[in-house]
Structure formats: structure tokens, C-alpha cells
Amino acid sequence: MVAELIKQAYLLTAAAEMTGADGTGDVLIEDGKVRVIAPFLTELPADTQVIDGRGQFLGPGLIDLYSQSGEPGHEARETHESLRAAAAAGGFTRVGLLPTVPGNVGTLAIDEVDAIAAIYQKNAQAKHQPQLLPWAAITQGADGQQLTELAELASVGALGFTDALPITNKALLRRLLEYAQPLQKPIALWPCDPSLVGDGVAREGANALRLGLPGVSAIAETTALATLLEYIVEVPALVHIMRVSTARSVELIRQAKSRNLPISASVPWHHLLFDTSDLQQYHPSLRHKPPLGNPADRQALIEGVADGVIDAIAVDHSPYTYEEKTVAFGSAPPGAIGLELALPILWQTFVASSATETGRWSPSQLWQVLSAAPARCLGLEAGKLEVNAPAELTLFDPREEWVVDEQELRSLARNTPWKGQTLKGKVTRVWAA
């Protein structure tokens, strides 16, 4: 393999001695590994390809906790191949693959050993591309009724266990925690009481009332979360709380962590950027489950990420076809794509902006909640910008402007509220180990 030298990029590494006074340095990659990191390199292998990293940031590859594909069965939405391409375009080198196709509950679930083996076989064929890490379904067909063979699925490399749907059967939830506890694999649970959601499509409050949208009370999430936390007190299995969306949930998680419960938590990235005040145009790509919170919820989630109560940001990439999503707000299937968009939009909102209310995170803080923190939630080793480490890296230019052109997106789906907008910040290169 040809050696590559990334010259004078800002290096997101704790090893200050390897960078110059301004945090920049040179990185030599050879044979798929980081070979040298230094403030400035002059002696290089023959035929080294030089990449101008000036003004760009180089850090460990990003890791997404959970996202969806349309394969098998709904390849018009997204295939595994297009999901990998979208991940690479957005700087993600590993993506947690949810076990069901969105909008098709009870079918095509990753609930058998052969399904997991098939995904890893495709990973092996997709060398130097982002890897899809399969979550195994908790219940057969992800229908919430009967547990899968958890130990067997864990033994063949399941990332962890989730139905990506609320578990409403409390006896089954208790049994799940008991069976999964010795396996030391994360259980990703979405706290939600569907009976309290009803026909709601927006977070209950003044904005939903003004817009005539049926409301969903925050207690649909918080009552389910409080119950779950009590179960974890009794059976301390490793639980990842996914799709946190309310201010009260942040407080409940904060209290639970103060009691040293073995939990982690994540927020979908769109809940940090939008709230119910953004629904005036009834854009169907702003329809989510859980629904976007009120402004106070959004602020609490931002603060929760900043102070570490919320461990990580998830993309929760949810692809749908144009026909499926181009309907009235209340009829639209919930979710939006995001793997190609999350890093630049989060960067320009929370890092690049000088506005007091948004410019609050350092580059390394944002990178951590998109790389090392998701890895910890999953019990994995994150990529490292270290000598002799595998080259699992992302190079990002925060200055490059580009238009979210639906013809240019790598995802097959186009359901995003940023379609047609100009963004500042683009991933220029990814090295997937």
C-alpha cells in the first residue's frame, strides 16, 4: 500500500508532544496503520502521497450508535452498500445497525445467528469501508413477545440487544435484564409508553396547541424511564437508554448515575437542533419518534451532552422514499437521514458559531461524543490517533461550503430538512480500519 502523509492538520489527540504549539502536526499512514506523528516530518517513504491538512481537523473515526437500513426488503430506501457510502461521506467508520427495517415492525428482524453472520460476511467483503455492526433483536420478530436466543446471538458477535421499539411487557423486561446481565452486552432500550403516546405527533405544549398538532406528553417517556431505572436497581444489567428527548429524563438519568447504576444514554442529533418552535412549516422530515421537544427540552439536552449526563449523540439515520415522506406531517413515517450531515451541522451549530447561546463546545468535545463516547456505550475500543494504531481516522474541513443536493447525497433516501441548504464543513477523507 502507498504511504500517505497528512500534513499540518489540527490533531485531535491527547499527545501534545506530537503536535506543534498550535496543535497541528504531520501524520504518516503506512500499511493501514499510523506509523509516525510529529510536529513536522521530512523523511518519508518513497512514493508517499501527501494530503494537505492545513486548516482541517484529523481525529478518530466517528461511531454511530444506531441507524437503520432498508435492506432486506426495502432497498429503495437504503441498502447496506449505500448506508456504508453515506457513513463514509459523513466521517463514520462504524455504524450500529438496528435490527428491523423502519416502518415494518415484526418482519425482517435480525433475530437469528445466520442474519448476523451474513452482515459480518458483507463487512469482510467491504474492506476499507465503514463497518456495519448488527444489533440483535431482543424479541423474535421484534414483536415484544418472546425473547430471542440472547446467548447464542451474543456468541456470534451481536453488538448488543435492542428491538428499537418500546418494551411494554414488564415481566419480559425483567427477564431480559436477568438473562442478558451475564453476557455483558449493552441492551439499548427506548423508554416510551405507547398507551400515553396515542395519536400524538408533537410534544405537548403551547406550540403543538397553536399548530393544531395532537400532543404527546413528556410523561410518555419519563414514566417508562423511571420504571426502567427501578428495574435496573434490582437487576444491574448494562443498559443504554436510547432516544432521550425530555428535560425531565435528563434529570432522572443524572440521579441514576449518581447512584452508580450501569447505564449510558444518548440523544438523537436532531433533538439538539430543533424543537417545537420549528414546526410551523409542518416539514415531514421534522416528524420524529420521540417527537421533537419543547425549547426547554432542547436546552436541557444540550446541557446534558455538555456535562456528560448524556454520554453520546446518535444519528438514528432513518431512510424513507420520497413517496413515503411527501405526505402530511401527521401521516409521515417518523425519522430523517443524517449520517452525511450530522458532523458539519453539529460543528457549525456548537463549535464554529460565536453566538453565546450555541458556541459552547470545543472541537474535541464534539468529536468525543461522536467517537470515543459511543464506543464506551457499546463496550468497544474507539479508533485512536496514536502511533501503531490501526488507521481508523476522519479528516474534516470546517471551511468547505457545499449544498445538500439530493443528486449528490450518498444515501438513497432524501428525507432531510436541510435539502437544498448550504452547509459549511465537509469530511474530505475517511480511513476505515
Side-chain angles (χ1 to χ4, degrees), residues 371-401:
S371 59
R376 285 194 299 270
C377 295
L378 298 170
L380 302 176
E381 283 287 330
K384 294 180 180 179
L385 185 50
E386 294 180 354
V387 174
N388 293 325
E392 185 179 353
L393 304 170
T394 294
L395 185 63
F396 174 71
D397 189 343
R399 305 159 302 176
E400 185 172 341
E401 292 190 352

mmCIF file of all heavy atoms in Angstrom, residues 371-401:
data_model
loop_
_atom_site.group_PDB
_atom_site.id
_atom_site.type_symbol
_atom_site.label_atom_id
_atom_site.label_comp_id
_atom_site.label_asym_id
_atom_site.label_seq_id
_atom_site.Cartn_x
_atom_site.Cartn_y
_atom_site.Cartn_z
ATOM 1 N N SER A 371 -17.441 9.790 18.874
ATOM 2 C CA SER A 371 -16.456 8.722 18.617
ATOM 3 C C SER A 371 -16.168 7.907 19.878
ATOM 4 O O SER A 371 -16.687 6.797 20.040
ATOM 5 C CB SER A 371 -15.174 9.309 18.040
ATOM 6 O OG SER A 371 -14.592 10.263 18.922
ATOM 7 N N ALA A 372 -15.346 8.434 20.778
ATOM 8 C CA ALA A 372 -14.958 7.667 21.960
ATOM 9 C C ALA A 372 -16.141 7.358 22.857
ATOM 10 O O ALA A 372 -16.259 6.255 23.402
ATOM 11 C CB ALA A 372 -13.882 8.426 22.745
ATOM 12 N N ALA A 373 -17.052 8.314 23.035
ATOM 13 C CA ALA A 373 -18.198 8.078 23.932
ATOM 14 C C ALA A 373 -19.140 7.003 23.396
ATOM 15 O O ALA A 373 -19.551 6.112 24.148
ATOM 16 C CB ALA A 373 -18.937 9.390 24.185
ATOM 17 N N PRO A 374 -19.535 7.021 22.116
ATOM 18 C CA PRO A 374 -20.341 5.904 21.615
ATOM 19 C C PRO A 374 -19.641 4.559 21.765
ATOM 20 O O PRO A 374 -20.282 3.550 22.078
ATOM 21 C CB PRO A 374 -20.548 6.254 20.133
ATOM 22 C CG PRO A 374 -20.390 7.727 20.067
ATOM 23 C CD PRO A 374 -19.383 8.079 21.107
ATOM 24 N N ALA A 375 -18.322 4.536 21.555
ATOM 25 C CA ALA A 375 -17.587 3.280 21.725
ATOM 26 C C ALA A 375 -17.717 2.769 23.157
ATOM 27 O O ALA A 375 -17.931 1.568 23.382
ATOM 28 C CB ALA A 375 -16.118 3.482 21.361
ATOM 29 N N ARG A 376 -17.591 3.665 24.132
ATOM 30 C CA ARG A 376 -17.735 3.240 25.540
ATOM 31 C C ARG A 376 -19.133 2.705 25.807
ATOM 32 O O ARG A 376 -19.298 1.704 26.516
ATOM 33 C CB ARG A 376 -17.433 4.413 26.476
ATOM 34 C CG ARG A 376 -15.957 4.747 26.605
ATOM 35 C CD ARG A 376 -15.702 5.667 27.784
ATOM 36 N NE ARG A 376 -16.397 6.939 27.650
ATOM 37 C CZ ARG A 376 -15.877 8.011 27.057
ATOM 38 N NH1 ARG A 376 -14.663 7.953 26.511
ATOM 39 N NH2 ARG A 376 -16.566 9.134 26.979
ATOM 40 N N CYS A 377 -20.146 3.355 25.258
ATOM 41 C CA CYS A 377 -21.525 2.882 25.451
ATOM 42 C C CYS A 377 -21.698 1.464 24.918
ATOM 43 O O CYS A 377 -22.503 0.679 25.451
ATOM 44 C CB CYS A 377 -22.511 3.808 24.742
ATOM 45 S SG CYS A 377 -22.603 5.483 25.404
ATOM 46 N N LEU A 378 -20.954 1.138 23.881
ATOM 47 C CA LEU A 378 -21.069 -0.168 23.230
ATOM 48 C C LEU A 378 -20.071 -1.189 23.756
ATOM 49 O O LEU A 378 -20.077 -2.340 23.333
ATOM 50 C CB LEU A 378 -20.874 -0.007 21.724
ATOM 51 C CG LEU A 378 -21.902 0.879 21.012
ATOM 52 C CD1 LEU A 378 -21.467 1.147 19.579
ATOM 53 C CD2 LEU A 378 -23.287 0.260 21.062
ATOM 54 N N GLY A 379 -19.201 -0.763 24.666
ATOM 55 C CA GLY A 379 -18.178 -1.674 25.174
ATOM 56 C C GLY A 379 -17.097 -1.975 24.153
ATOM 57 O O GLY A 379 -16.485 -3.045 24.180
ATOM 58 N N LEU A 380 -16.838 -1.016 23.250
ATOM 59 C CA LEU A 380 -15.853 -1.208 22.195
ATOM 60 C C LEU A 380 -14.656 -0.286 22.410
ATOM 61 O O LEU A 380 -14.736 0.701 23.132
ATOM 62 C CB LEU A 380 -16.471 -0.891 20.828
ATOM 63 C CG LEU A 380 -17.702 -1.690 20.408
ATOM 64 C CD1 LEU A 380 -18.225 -1.167 19.079
ATOM 65 C CD2 LEU A 380 -17.388 -3.178 20.309
ATOM 66 N N GLU A 381 -13.562 -0.599 21.721
ATOM 67 C CA GLU A 381 -12.416 0.293 21.665
ATOM 68 C C GLU A 381 -12.635 1.269 20.516
ATOM 69 O O GLU A 381 -12.908 0.854 19.387
ATOM 70 C CB GLU A 381 -11.129 -0.495 21.428
ATOM 71 C CG GLU A 381 -10.601 -1.212 22.659
ATOM 72 C CD GLU A 381 -9.988 -0.248 23.673
ATOM 73 O OE1 GLU A 381 -9.456 0.803 23.255
ATOM 74 O OE2 GLU A 381 -10.043 -0.562 24.870
ATOM 75 N N ALA A 382 -12.516 2.553 20.807
ATOM 76 C CA ALA A 382 -12.624 3.541 19.739
ATOM 77 C C ALA A 382 -11.333 3.570 18.931
ATOM 78 O O ALA A 382 -10.288 3.097 19.384
ATOM 79 C CB ALA A 382 -12.909 4.918 20.333
ATOM 80 N N GLY A 383 -11.401 4.120 17.736
ATOM 81 C CA GLY A 383 -10.187 4.371 16.991
ATOM 82 C C GLY A 383 -9.327 5.380 17.738
ATOM 83 O O GLY A 383 -9.831 6.182 18.531
ATOM 84 N N LYS A 384 -8.029 5.334 17.497
ATOM 85 C CA LYS A 384 -7.116 6.221 18.216
ATOM 86 C C LYS A 384 -6.118 6.836 17.249
ATOM 87 O O LYS A 384 -5.607 6.160 16.353
ATOM 88 C CB LYS A 384 -6.374 5.455 19.312
ATOM 89 C CG LYS A 384 -7.279 4.952 20.431
ATOM 90 C CD LYS A 384 -6.487 4.210 21.487
ATOM 91 C CE LYS A 384 -7.408 3.711 22.606
ATOM 92 N NZ LYS A 384 -6.670 2.959 23.646
ATOM 93 N N LEU A 385 -5.859 8.109 17.454
ATOM 94 C CA LEU A 385 -4.811 8.783 16.701
ATOM 95 C C LEU A 385 -3.525 8.628 17.482
ATOM 96 O O LEU A 385 -3.053 9.525 18.173
ATOM 97 C CB LEU A 385 -5.180 10.258 16.499
ATOM 98 C CG LEU A 385 -4.239 11.105 15.631
ATOM 99 C CD1 LEU A 385 -3.940 10.417 14.310
ATOM 100 C CD2 LEU A 385 -4.831 12.482 15.397
ATOM 101 N N GLU A 386 -2.962 7.405 17.379
ATOM 102 C CA GLU A 386 -1.754 7.046 18.113
ATOM 103 C C GLU A 386 -0.828 6.250 17.199
ATOM 104 O O GLU A 386 -1.286 5.556 16.282
ATOM 105 C CB GLU A 386 -2.082 6.178 19.339
ATOM 106 C CG GLU A 386 -2.867 6.885 20.418
ATOM 107 C CD GLU A 386 -3.148 5.974 21.593
ATOM 108 O OE1 GLU A 386 -2.821 4.762 21.513
ATOM 109 O OE2 GLU A 386 -3.703 6.442 22.597
ATOM 110 N N VAL A 387 0.463 6.333 17.474
ATOM 111 C CA VAL A 387 1.443 5.560 16.705
ATOM 112 C C VAL A 387 1.177 4.062 16.874
ATOM 113 O O VAL A 387 0.908 3.589 17.989
ATOM 114 C CB VAL A 387 2.870 5.910 17.149
ATOM 115 C CG1 VAL A 387 3.892 5.013 16.456
ATOM 116 C CG2 VAL A 387 3.177 7.375 16.852
ATOM 117 N N ASN A 388 1.200 3.337 15.770
ATOM 118 C CA ASN A 388 0.974 1.889 15.674
ATOM 119 C C ASN A 388 -0.492 1.480 15.822
ATOM 120 O O ASN A 388 -0.800 0.292 15.795
ATOM 121 C CB ASN A 388 1.836 1.114 16.674
ATOM 122 C CG ASN A 388 3.309 1.219 16.347
ATOM 123 O OD1 ASN A 388 3.686 1.262 15.176
ATOM 124 N ND2 ASN A 388 4.141 1.279 17.365
ATOM 125 N N ALA A 389 -1.386 2.454 15.967
ATOM 126 C CA ALA A 389 -2.817 2.127 15.998
ATOM 127 C C ALA A 389 -3.323 1.938 14.575
ATOM 128 O O ALA A 389 -2.801 2.546 13.630
ATOM 129 C CB ALA A 389 -3.590 3.237 16.688
ATOM 130 N N PRO A 390 -4.337 1.074 14.374
ATOM 131 C CA PRO A 390 -4.942 0.977 13.044
ATOM 132 C C PRO A 390 -5.433 2.346 12.589
ATOM 133 O O PRO A 390 -5.911 3.149 13.397
ATOM 134 C CB PRO A 390 -6.113 0.013 13.261
ATOM 135 C CG PRO A 390 -5.730 -0.784 14.463
ATOM 136 C CD PRO A 390 -4.966 0.155 15.352
ATOM 137 N N ALA A 391 -5.307 2.620 11.312
ATOM 138 C CA ALA A 391 -5.703 3.917 10.764
ATOM 139 C C ALA A 391 -7.219 3.941 10.581
ATOM 140 O O ALA A 391 -7.744 3.628 9.504
ATOM 141 C CB ALA A 391 -4.984 4.183 9.455
ATOM 142 N N GLU A 392 -7.926 4.279 11.634
ATOM 143 C CA GLU A 392 -9.382 4.467 11.595
ATOM 144 C C GLU A 392 -9.620 5.939 11.934
ATOM 145 O O GLU A 392 -9.797 6.324 13.079
ATOM 146 C CB GLU A 392 -10.079 3.559 12.610
ATOM 147 C CG GLU A 392 -11.588 3.629 12.531
ATOM 148 C CD GLU A 392 -12.287 2.716 13.521
ATOM 149 O OE1 GLU A 392 -11.599 1.920 14.203
ATOM 150 O OE2 GLU A 392 -13.521 2.792 13.633
ATOM 151 N N LEU A 393 -9.596 6.773 10.882
ATOM 152 C CA LEU A 393 -9.499 8.216 11.072
ATOM 153 C C LEU A 393 -10.458 8.966 10.159
ATOM 154 O O LEU A 393 -10.880 8.458 9.107
ATOM 155 C CB LEU A 393 -8.068 8.694 10.786
ATOM 156 C CG LEU A 393 -6.940 8.034 11.599
ATOM 157 C CD1 LEU A 393 -5.587 8.430 11.029
ATOM 158 C CD2 LEU A 393 -7.042 8.422 13.069
ATOM 159 N N THR A 394 -10.767 10.206 10.560
ATOM 160 C CA THR A 394 -11.615 11.091 9.768
ATOM 161 C C THR A 394 -10.939 12.446 9.644
ATOM 162 O O THR A 394 -10.482 13.006 10.646
ATOM 163 C CB THR A 394 -12.993 11.251 10.432
ATOM 164 O OG1 THR A 394 -13.672 9.989 10.404
ATOM 165 C CG2 THR A 394 -13.847 12.287 9.721
ATOM 166 N N LEU A 395 -10.884 12.970 8.423
ATOM 167 C CA LEU A 395 -10.323 14.289 8.147
ATOM 168 C C LEU A 395 -11.472 15.213 7.761
ATOM 169 O O LEU A 395 -12.221 14.920 6.819
ATOM 170 C CB LEU A 395 -9.287 14.202 7.022
ATOM 171 C CG LEU A 395 -8.513 15.482 6.681
ATOM 172 C CD1 LEU A 395 -7.659 15.935 7.864
ATOM 173 C CD2 LEU A 395 -7.631 15.248 5.448
ATOM 174 N N PHE A 396 -11.600 16.326 8.471
ATOM 175 C CA PHE A 396 -12.763 17.216 8.334
ATOM 176 C C PHE A 396 -12.290 18.640 8.116
ATOM 177 O O PHE A 396 -11.456 19.163 8.856
ATOM 178 C CB PHE A 396 -13.612 17.123 9.609
ATOM 179 C CG PHE A 396 -14.764 18.089 9.664
ATOM 180 C CD1 PHE A 396 -15.875 17.917 8.851
ATOM 181 C CD2 PHE A 396 -14.746 19.175 10.534
ATOM 182 C CE1 PHE A 396 -16.945 18.801 8.909
ATOM 183 C CE2 PHE A 396 -15.813 20.060 10.610
ATOM 184 C CZ PHE A 396 -16.912 19.878 9.780
ATOM 185 N N ASP A 397 -12.837 19.273 7.086
ATOM 186 C CA ASP A 397 -12.515 20.663 6.773
ATOM 187 C C ASP A 397 -13.700 21.549 7.158
ATOM 188 O O ASP A 397 -14.725 21.541 6.460
ATOM 189 C CB ASP A 397 -12.206 20.811 5.281
ATOM 190 C CG ASP A 397 -11.652 22.185 4.928
ATOM 191 O OD1 ASP A 397 -11.809 23.118 5.745
ATOM 192 O OD2 ASP A 397 -11.062 22.322 3.845
ATOM 193 N N PRO A 398 -13.589 22.307 8.253
ATOM 194 C CA PRO A 398 -14.727 23.125 8.688
ATOM 195 C C PRO A 398 -14.967 24.348 7.809
ATOM 196 O O PRO A 398 -15.971 25.052 7.996
ATOM 197 C CB PRO A 398 -14.314 23.547 10.104
ATOM 198 C CG PRO A 398 -12.831 23.553 10.086
ATOM 199 C CD PRO A 398 -12.429 22.441 9.152
ATOM 200 N N ARG A 399 -14.102 24.608 6.831
ATOM 201 C CA ARG A 399 -14.241 25.802 5.989
ATOM 202 C C ARG A 399 -14.985 25.527 4.683
ATOM 203 O O ARG A 399 -15.495 26.461 4.053
ATOM 204 C CB ARG A 399 -12.850 26.344 5.643
ATOM 205 C CG ARG A 399 -11.960 26.640 6.830
ATOM 206 C CD ARG A 399 -10.507 26.676 6.397
ATOM 207 N NE ARG A 399 -10.109 25.402 5.775
ATOM 208 C CZ ARG A 399 -8.915 25.182 5.242
ATOM 209 N NH1 ARG A 399 -7.999 26.131 5.255
ATOM 210 N NH2 ARG A 399 -8.626 24.006 4.697
ATOM 211 N N GLU A 400 -15.036 24.284 4.264
ATOM 212 C CA GLU A 400 -15.582 23.967 2.938
ATOM 213 C C GLU A 400 -17.100 24.077 2.920
ATOM 214 O O GLU A 400 -17.798 23.480 3.738
ATOM 215 C CB GLU A 400 -15.162 22.562 2.510
ATOM 216 C CG GLU A 400 -15.593 22.229 1.086
ATOM 217 C CD GLU A 400 -15.013 20.928 0.579
ATOM 218 O OE1 GLU A 400 -14.007 20.447 1.147
ATOM 219 O OE2 GLU A 400 -15.581 20.384 -0.386
ATOM 220 N N GLU A 401 -17.610 24.844 1.969
ATOM 221 C CA GLU A 401 -19.055 25.000 1.812
ATOM 222 C C GLU A 401 -19.571 24.055 0.733
ATOM 223 O O GLU A 401 -18.900 23.813 -0.274
ATOM 224 C CB GLU A 401 -19.390 26.451 1.460
ATOM 225 C CG GLU A 401 -19.109 27.433 2.597
ATOM 226 C CD GLU A 401 -19.662 28.818 2.320
ATOM 227 O OE1 GLU A 401 -20.136 29.063 1.187
ATOM 228 O OE2 GLU A 401 -19.626 29.656 3.237
#
